[in-house]
Amino acid sequence: MLLNGKELSLKMKESLIEKVAKLEKKPGLVVIQVGDDKASSIYVNSKGKLAREIGYNFEHIKLPTTITEEEMIEIIEKINKDNNINGVIVQLPIPKNLYATKIINHIDPIKDIDGLTKANVGKLFTDKAELISCTPKGIMTLLKNYNVEFEGKQYALLVEADSSEEEPEVVLMRYTEEGEEVFFETIDDDDEFERVSEYIENLDTEDEDEE
């Protein structure tokens, strides 16, 4: 089965445009980028384009690689107090001399769009998370849209992610809304990755034989 994420995203975009248009005040989104990483710049520009199309007030704060953790935290704390800003994203990766986890954890959990603060990650364990990391949330939304059933099925999720992004995937994908357990494994070794890939292919073959 081919799941068309683009088609679903367009429907969700149209729905959001309608909802935002009815608001008395436009939501505000800020993305903080450190340095000139090419991929990050593309991602930020894409986020900004979409946010503006939906009707958000979007601000891109671009910082030099010479900035310190303390200076970044000060910027985030000002954003936390700004009532015109509803959400903030620290675009990853950031330079290695900056401790990403420490910086992200200074974001007000209510404004933590990526859902990466300890507060929001912790709430995933109790099913009380208000903001969930976009990758696992997107996966689950797509599966739900296609009425993919987990009961009695075996699934494997192979994820290549930054360490700060892995935990939400583990928590959300390990247990679906139906409470079914999903196999999850982080793989660094190429041989191990090939072993698990073969295992998944064998599962697919077994399912076809049963049908």
Side-chain angles (χ1 to χ4, degrees), residues 151-170:
E151 186 174 358
K153 303 288 185 179
Q154 288 182 300
Y155 290 89
L157 174 66
L158 305 184
V159 178
E160 180 182 359
D162 182 86
S163 59
S164 62
E165 298 174 330
E166 286 175 5
E167 196 165 15
E169 256 96 352
V170 176

Side-chain angles (χ1 to χ4, degrees), residues 13-29 51 53-57 83-87:
K13 178 182 174 181
E14 291 173 1
S15 175
L16 286 171
I17 290 174
E18 292 179 6
K19 290 179 180 179
V20 172
K22 295 176 183 178
L23 297 175
E24 294 182 2
K25 183 179 179 182
K26 284 187 176 183
L29 173 63
E53 288 176 351
I54 292 173
Y56 276 54
N57 287 321
N83 294 328
N84 292 315
I85 298 174
N86 302 90

Side-chain angles (χ1 to χ4, degrees), residues 20 27 40 52 59 61 68 74 119 122 130 158 166 168 177 179 188:
V20 172
S40 290
R52 293 187 183 97
E59 181 180 0
I61 299 177
T68 65
E74 185 178 343
E130 296 178 5
L158 305 184
E166 286 175 5
E177 292 179 5
D188 298 318

